[in-house]
Amino acid sequence: MNDESHLRSIIGDFSFFKNLPDTDIDFLLTSAVIRKYSKRAFVFTQGNPAHYFFIIISGWVKAHNMNAKGDQSAVHLLTKGDVLGVDTIFDRGSYLSSAETVSDECQMLEIFSETLKEQARISPELAEKLLGLLSHKIKEMQVSDACSVLGDSSRRLACLLLRLSSWMVGKGGTLKLPYEKSIAALQLGMDQATLSRALTSLSDLSVTSKCREITINNFSRLSEYCCVHCPIPEGHCAGRRIPSEKRPQEN
Amino acid sequence: MNDESHLRSIIGDFSFFKNLPDTDIDFLLTSAVIRKYSKRAFVFTQGNPAHYFFIIISGWVKAHNMNAKGDQSAVHLLTKGDVLGVDTIFDRGSYLSSAETVSDECQMLEIFSETLKEQARISPELAEKLLGLLSHKIKEMQVSDACSVLGDSSRRLACLLLRLSSWMVGKGGTLKLPYEKSIAALQLGMDQATLSRALTSLSDLSVTSKCREITINNFSRLSEYCCVHCPIPEGHCAGRRIPSEKRPQEN
DNA sequence: CGAGTGGTTGAAGAGTGTCAAACAGTGTGG
DNA sequence: CCACACTGTTTGACACTCTTCAACCACTCG
């Protein structure tokens, strides 16, 4: 399979390209490449000029800022279908955060920023797609902000587990944490030791763990434990599992 | 002065309308009104359908989420020139947070969402303006996220003071806090009592206060105290006052 | 004057960060 | 096969910051 048809077969999955006119897709792909990264590779670094934006094809990427002493903040974890760096194109021109892979076999679709910007000027559909994308990103930031004020560390961890398991159906199940616990601790803004203790304390809510395999026996019980304190309104957080009779209606 | 010319005289100041074609402005203003709010009025409430977006003409507005128990989170404070609710138009259709005025004499320019969306589809200039606006909002959220991990409460307060005084020139000066200290505490994610103590502790850095009048005698000294711990790269935070030759080396 | 609001201060306790040691899993090399 | 190093994680002890709750103060307004 040649590069061109390989690209096309992959992008069919991604919501970014859904409902975009073929002319837009064709034009964007003229400058697009797929690049592979190993674990702990930097995709880009804060402060550097932003020539590309990225769509994650596989793997997990940590977007973060780092101060002079190496402390990290504003850690967001992104995966398949998520987008990196669009916000730089229309405001800054340099990356505000760094992006570093935290899993093996990360693949990114990389598109030249100027191409995107150019095409957005002549395609209302692309422009609207990007507006939706940025709006969605703002929403996600608000959701993860909300998690960080949920109260104690156990509740914040519970919130993360619920969001990571939002694709799972049924009453409970086992989840493989897609990245290291120390990374999850960064994401939650707590110390690694605190996360470890928080996970232990969740055994009261029948959450058990063995290495990175975390078993949640009762999603709705966990959800009642933390989502009750969450300020995000109904229907905006996929993690929430409070049984439907307890909330008005969900879509 | 009639409504129409009054509107036009006001919007000249706002970056939102800068470099927009007259046709766009004309069309947007067909549905625009200016509304006044007294202190502690809700502009909109989380979860409600988003029919309007807002440009703040004067006053300060607190955007926040509230959980079932009344605890607030994700508090952002906005003022003249800032925009409320654009992100809802292209992603959700309902407000994710609530907006409440926190100062007297708040005036908002209110534009019907559908009008904006419609016009953005046919005007590349407007679409690009909105893309820039959303990108900028993402940046601001990242900056305020960064503030919240600056370490202890004194440093977080110092960060806020520097950002609020970023328009001031010279070595130091006196700033009138534009909203109540309890609101600032919410914004910084700390208790009101903690903020009060933090402000006292900043007297070591010759920051003094009398009610809402806060005097900072030495911006760059304050900046060295907190910005050194900040992960936001050079040139992205208006609050930073560290002379540029000093930055590279630390610790 | 009393009531109401915004802010300060004090004492006590909970929750976290820090530091350090210990442990488990993996890969390497003899 | 074991010894060893290396990394990721857990656990314990301790210090410290922040929240909580309370009383109190300063100021405004009827």
Side-chain angles (χ1 to χ4, degrees), chain A residues 85-135:
Chain A
V86 239
D87 53 309
T88 61
I89 303 171
F90 297 96
D91 186 39
R92 288 181 281 289
S94 72
Y95 297 114
L96 185 53
S97 9
S98 303
E100 184 186 355
T101 58
V102 293
S103 68
D104 294 320
E105 287 154 31
C106 290
Q107 287 188 89
M108 318 283 283
L109 180 64
E110 312 193 351
I111 297 177
F112 196 48
S113 296
E114 223 25 73
T115 308
L116 183 74
K117 197 165 180 175
E118 215 174 283
Q119 188 66 13
R121 259 193 284 267
I122 59 172
S123 162
E125 291 87 358
L126 180 59
E128 191 167 350
K129 169 72 77 176
L130 292 171
L131 284 165
L133 208 67
L134 293 180
S135 298

Side-chain angles (χ1 to χ4, degrees), chain B residues 90-105:
Chain B
F90 298 95
D91 185 39
R92 288 183 282 289
S94 72
Y95 297 114
L96 186 52
S97 10
S98 303
E100 184 186 353
T101 58
V102 293
S103 69
D104 293 320
E105 286 156 31

Side-chain angles (χ1 to χ4, degrees), chain B residues 176-197:
Chain B
K176 179 159 168 67
L177 202 59
Y179 35 81
E180 284 153 24
K181 284 183 181 168
S182 55
I183 302 287
L186 275 174
Q187 179 181 13
L188 291 169
M190 65 180 71
D191 197 89
Q192 181 174 352
T194 306
L195 183 136
S196 180
R197 286 184 252 259

Side-chain angles (χ1 to χ4, degrees), chain A residues 152-153 191 194 197:
Chain A
D152 59 17
S153 54
D191 197 88
T194 306
R197 286 184 254 259

